Amino acid sequence: MREPGVIGRPREFDDDVALAQILDVFWTKGFEGTSMSDLMAATGLQKGSLYAAFGDKRAIYLEALALYERQAVDGAVALLTGKGAPETRIGKFLQAAIDPVARLDDRRGCFLCNASVDQAVLDGETQLAVKRGFDRMAGALEQALADLGVGAKLRAGQAQHLLSVYFGLRVLAKGGQSVSVLRAARAAALRSLTNA
């Protein structure tokens, strides 16, 4: 839809749909492995339309990362801070790292984790976006641990431990580890809660 006061033809595509297609390409191929031709093929849009809607390739990547945060990070935070026993919420959070592989054989890993390795060391905006996602998830884990009765002195470290397990599961899945190995690692992490 054309914005008020903007001269020209209205967009004939849905930004949200195009961005979801763009996210899928970057998630699968990474930043360097993705060309503008790949994005054009995925969306059916011309380069000029992509630039007009989202900016250059870096800006498009950051938009995709922001979409992933709205989807995956918001979902994780809602799960960890929602209803139910805290140990159940933490268990579901860790299970979410296994489900894509167990149910769909999806081994792309976590886009946030991929971005941390692929681009965060090269681009300050990507690094800030990744850190924001990490921090939000760690904060939600701290809340779940507080609900579990973990003392304030131990909460931050335990939250980082669980976050490391979550991202480790995503990396192991991407590297081809079996679902049984991932489940065993999840079970060990949940057992550690009783010692917190």
Side-chain angles (χ1 to χ4, degrees):
M1 179 181 229
R2 184 168 53 208
E3 296 177 16
V6 175
I7 298 172
R9 292 187 315 165
R11 287 187 191 155
E12 297 177 357
F13 63 92
D14 185 319
D15 286 6
D16 293 335
V17 171
L19 194 53
Q21 295 163 332
I22 288 166
L23 169 59
D24 188 59
V25 176
F26 278 126
W27 196 350
T28 302
K29 294 189 166 192
F31 181 82
E32 297 297 340
T34 297
S35 67
M36 288 304 295
S37 296
D38 293 327
L39 300 179
M40 291 163 60
T43 60
L45 300 174
Q46 296 301 310
K47 189 182 293 186
S49 296
L50 286 169
Y51 285 148
F54 306 111
D56 64 10
K57 181 182 170 184
R58 173 66 62 188
I60 296 171
Y61 180 80
L62 290 169
E63 288 281 349
L65 193 54
L67 175 61
Y68 186 81
E69 180 178 355
R70 291 192 299 274
Q71 293 176 341
V73 178
D74 286 3
V77 169
L79 174 64
L80 287 165
T81 59
K83 296 180 180 178
E87 60 270 25
T88 301
R89 297 183 336 239
I90 293 169
K92 287 180 178 178
F93 168 71
L94 295 178
Q95 184 63 38
I98 301 170
D99 284 343
V101 180
R103 296 179 182 172
L104 304 170
D105 197 32
D106 179 349
R107 293 187 177 272
R108 293 177 298 172
C110 165
F111 186 51
L112 194 67
C113 186
N114 295 352
S116 73
V117 176
D118 181 29
Q119 289 298 301
V121 295
L122 303 174
D123 177 67
E125 288 183 85
T126 302
Q127 186 177 64
L128 287 173
V130 167
K131 184 178 185 313
R132 181 178 61 246
F134 285 178
D135 289 348
R136 290 184 61 214
M137 293 168 81
L141 280 164
E142 284 192 51
Q143 180 60 57
L145 290 166
D147 294 345
L148 188 61
V150 175
K153 290 183 179 179
L154 299 177
R155 242 178 263 149
Q158 186 72 5
Q160 290 298 328
H161 166 72
L162 290 169
L163 193 62
S164 298
V165 171
Y166 174 84
F167 288 120
L169 289 170
R170 299 300 297 259
V171 171
L172 288 171
K174 188 171 183 176
Q177 287 292 348
S178 68
V179 171
S180 61
V181 166
L182 303 178
R183 286 175 175 156
R186 172 187 177 273
L190 292 176
R191 284 195 299 271
S192 74
L193 294 176
T194 60
N195 301 320

